[in-house]
Amino acid sequence: MKTLRPTRLMAAAALAFGVAASPLAHASKDVTFAVAIALETLDPYNTNSTLNQAAGKAYYEGLFEFDKDLKIQPLLATGYEVSPDGLVYTIKLRQGVKFQDGTDFTADAVKVNFDRVSNPANRLTRYTQFNQVDKTEVVDPYTVRITLKRPFSAFINALAHPAAMMISPAALQKWGKDIGFHPVGTGPFEFVEWKPAEYLKVKKFDGYWKKGYPKVDTLTFRTVTDNNTRAAVVQTGEAQFAFPVPYEQAASLAKNDKIDVVDRKNSIMARYMSMNTMQKPFDNPKVRQAINYAINKQALTKVAYAGYADVSTGVIPQGVEYAYKIADKGWPYDPKKARELLKEAGYPNGFESTLWSAYNDGTSVKVVQFLQQQLAQVGIKVSVEVLESGQRVQRVQQVQKPEDAKVRMYYAGWSSSTGEADWGLRPLLATDAFPPQLNNTAYYSNPKVDEDIKKALATTSKEEKTALYKDAQQTIWNDAPWAFLVTQGNVYLKTKNLSGVYVMPDTSFWFGDVDLKQ
């Protein structure tokens, strides 16, 4: 039998988990996911974090869901019909489902949840995803009718998104705005404990409607920000799953006969750097274009991602419906052109600014350091700050007025988690998506783009949608509110005895069949 000798790194991993570095056998099946960032809330309607919503799948369920390949499947719904005008959705619900507090899941719960998120007075982050809902009506205990203000062709996609979860009405009434600390849903696990910045723990829900599930007893999402430590805790047996893992270690990790290194090569996670277009010098498109020319994206894929990334060829990654490939090799790397544009814009000697990273994991640190070096070569001197989740929420996501925003350059990522171009554009680049509503951290506003998005949502014609989304994406590319960087690979690590867990194309997790062989 092969014996693992703990290295200093593995010992550090054990300290990060607060336990000894020896994988102990337990009668119960306890699974730990090592994740890169801390959870910020457990309310699925009040976060834009893919990780938060991925964790929410443990205790919450929606009417529909995306499977591991981002295909829509019914969950708490059993079927639906749409009126000919595309305004009314009549949805049949699954019977015999209980919330974890013992109350019944019925059409009343659907109404309570959608009334809550579609009411702008509640100021929920996901309001824009549901602001087309005019009213939700209970037809009978297991039938709900949702009427839209205008046709919304991606509505079922929006309902399959992990934001659209069913929260117990009794829990909402009990906890109110504090529901983000006390999740109660119909999912396979029930909430045990959440220590922000450390871990979230859930346990098997014995009253789960799907018999025989879940197959494990507990699930813990442990925050491990350091890339190397995150990989080490799987090697020591302290965790059974880790994402993301250090790209540069993937080849050596694959030699370990007790773990699997997985790259499903279907990522739609776009990485970009937004520029605040309401502030000088980023109000000048020539400056924004210069910054795109100044960054060697091909080198970035190697320096930060060890080759597990592809240069962005458009605004939205390939694999998202209606994504338009604009440039096969991405925005060209041309520092000479960058300097010329800066001179034309009135900045022949460059300028000084700030660059914030939305994340504090090891890969993100490498990315912003690389961007800092690249920009310096064309005279742009930036100070870099890596934000923790609380700082990100306070400084970026909760800013009420554009003129109060201190963000300038901002490294972030986004996946169109509805699988359609709408959610790759509207939350990030539409005028009504400025924080705190959504994530237009460029404060970019172009009426032409807004109109394209609006018309694309209203039509059911695939040809018309294709043309409208193409026009929007080409306009955005030319305006360059972002530096379009890469589509990152979704490389993850799991022990060989763990099954039924996948990283989805949007970097969310699917663990509906999670099991641990002992």
Side-chain angles (χ1 to χ4, degrees):
M1 180 177 177
K2 183 178 178 182
T3 302
L4 275 177
R5 297 182 180 275
T7 63
R8 281 186 295 174
L9 183 60
M10 291 180 178
L15 287 173
F17 275 60
V19 293
S22 57
L24 303 177
H26 299 284
S28 62
K29 293 183 177 182
D30 302 310
V31 174
T32 294
F33 289 5
V35 297
I37 60 175
L39 302 177
E40 57 194 34
T41 177
L42 306 186
D43 181 352
Y45 293 100
N46 208 27
T47 179
N48 284 321
S49 165
T50 301
L51 176 60
N52 278 259
Q53 289 157 351
K57 295 176 188 179
Y59 35 82
Y60 284 130
E61 293 176 314
L63 302 183
F64 302 87
E65 70 167 345
F66 287 109
D67 65 18
K68 62 180 174 34
D69 299 310
L70 219 58
K71 305 299 182 187
I72 297 174
Q73 306 293 343
L75 192 54
L76 293 179
T78 58
Y80 71 97
E81 294 179 353
V82 188
S83 63
D85 62 6
L87 289 175
V88 181
Y89 288 72
T90 303
I91 303 173
K92 291 289 185 181
L93 305 178
R94 189 177 299 280
Q95 300 185 30
V97 177
K98 295 271 189 188
F99 286 103
Q100 292 135 9
D101 58 10
T103 59
D104 292 325
F105 167 72
T106 65
D108 288 317
V110 181
K111 177 174 172 54
V112 166
N113 278 277
F114 289 162
D115 283 356
R116 174 178 180 252
V117 69
S118 61
N119 182 352
N122 289 327
R123 304 181 70 85
L124 293 170
T125 302
R126 285 283 161 170
Y127 166 72
T128 302
Q129 188 173 334
F130 298 93
N131 65 357
Q132 303 302 320
V133 174
D134 182 38
K135 59 182 177 180
T136 303
E137 300 170 286
V138 174
V139 177
D140 62 47
Y142 296 101
T143 309
V144 67
R145 182 167 56 235
I146 302 172
T147 303
L148 306 180
K149 298 172 184 175
R150 59 188 64 88
F152 178 19
S153 56
F155 186 56
I156 296 299
N157 295 66
L159 295 186
H161 189 280
M165 298 298 200
M166 292 296 107
I167 303 173
S168 161
L172 277 169
Q173 187 172 5
K174 178 179 180 179
W175 297 109
K177 292 184 178 180
D178 287 335
I179 193 67
F181 296 94
H182 306 279
V184 181
T186 65
F189 298 91
E190 59 181 308
F191 175 70
V192 174
E193 185 180 22
W194 177 38
K195 289 193 174 182
E198 292 185 40
Y199 65 85
L200 165 70
K201 185 174 183 178
V202 297
K203 67 178 181 179
K204 178 190 289 189
F205 172 37
D206 291 332
Y208 186 50
W209 61 269
K210 191 174 181 182
K211 301 306 176 187
Y213 288 84
K215 299 176 182 178
V216 300
D217 297 292
T218 69
L219 194 56
T220 300
F221 295 84
R222 174 77 64 168
T223 301
V224 186
T225 56
D226 181 73
N227 267 356
N228 296 321
T229 307
R230 202 178 316 115
V233 294
V234 177
Q235 296 177 79
T236 61
E238 304 303 333
Q240 290 72 42
F241 172 92
F243 176 78
V245 295
Y247 295 101
E248 66 277 8
Q249 291 187 29
S252 60
L253 288 168
K255 297 175 183 177
N256 188 320
D257 59 5
K258 293 184 178 179
I259 60 177
D260 291 322
V261 178
V262 185
D263 177 14
R264 299 184 67 216
K265 300 185 184 297
N266 61 353
S267 173
I268 58 168
M269 171 52 79
R271 296 293 180 185
Y272 61 91
M273 184 183 72
S274 67
M275 295 167 269
N276 188 335
T277 61
M278 287 191 170
Q279 300 293 332
K280 291 185 179 298
F282 307 110
D283 58 339
N284 190 325
K286 288 186 177 181
V287 170
R288 304 193 301 266
Q289 292 164 2
I291 286 172
N292 270 284
Y293 281 115
I295 300 167
N296 187 338
K297 288 86 169 175
Q298 192 62 54
L300 175 61
T301 67
K302 297 174 182 176
V303 171
Y305 299 95
Y308 288 96
D310 297 305
V311 172
S312 295
T313 58
V315 180
I316 301 173
Q318 295 299 299
V320 176
E321 192 173 11
Y322 304 110
Y324 173 52
K325 181 184 284 189
I326 297 171
D328 284 340
K329 295 183 179 179
W331 199 293
Y333 172 55
D334 190 341
K336 181 180 178 183
K337 179 70 172 175
R339 294 187 194 96
E340 290 173 359
L341 286 169
L342 287 172
K343 185 177 181 181
E344 290 174 20
Y347 300 96
N349 300 314
F351 56 87
E352 294 184 6
S353 190
T354 57
L355 168 57
W356 295 350
S357 171
Y359 323 102
N360 60 350
D361 63 285
T363 298
S364 295
V365 171
K366 285 185 179 181
V367 171
V368 292
Q369 288 175 343
F370 177 85
L371 295 175
Q372 181 183 44
Q373 293 164 2
Q374 293 281 285
L375 294 172
Q377 292 177 10
V378 297
I380 301 173
K381 299 179 179 65
V382 297
S383 59
V384 169
E385 189 171 359
V386 177
L387 305 183
E388 296 179 357
S389 59
Q391 293 175 308
R392 180 177 71 247
V393 171
Q394 181 182 5
R395 293 200 208 172
V396 181
Q397 296 171 354
Q398 289 184 346
V399 175
Q400 300 297 311
K401 299 177 182 178
E403 57 268 27
D404 293 337
K406 304 299 182 189
V407 65
R408 295 300 183 261
M409 286 184 271
Y410 186 61
Y411 169 69
W414 187 267
S415 54
S416 183
S417 297
T418 64
E420 212 238 30
D422 166 61
W423 207 245
L425 297 175
R426 188 158 54 98
L428 302 177
L429 295 154
T431 302
D432 61 3
F434 292 174
Q437 289 300 330
L438 279 165
N439 267 29
N440 186 346
T441 53
Y443 291 93
Y444 171 72
S445 179
N446 186 316
K448 186 169 181 282
V449 170
D450 291 342
E451 189 65 17
D452 281 341
I453 294 172
K454 181 180 177 182
K455 287 181 177 178
L457 280 176
T459 183
T460 56
S461 164
K462 279 190 170 290
E463 287 185 5
E464 190 176 355
K465 285 170 79 77
T466 299
L468 288 163
Y469 280 134
K470 176 181 176 181
D471 185 60
Q473 291 169 76
Q474 185 67 66
T475 302
I476 292 163
W477 185 267
N478 296 339
D479 286 347
W482 297 349
F484 306 97
L485 301 176
V486 302
T487 301
Q488 73 165 50
N490 292 339
V491 181
Y492 60 98
L493 205 62
K494 72 176 192 68
T495 55
K496 288 188 180 294
N497 63 340
L498 181 72
S499 60
V501 180
Y502 303 88
V503 174
M504 297 167 64
D506 66 342
T507 74
S508 187
F509 303 153
W510 189 89
F511 47 89
D513 203 27
V514 59
D515 199 3
L516 190 67
K517 186 177 180 181
Q518 293 182 320

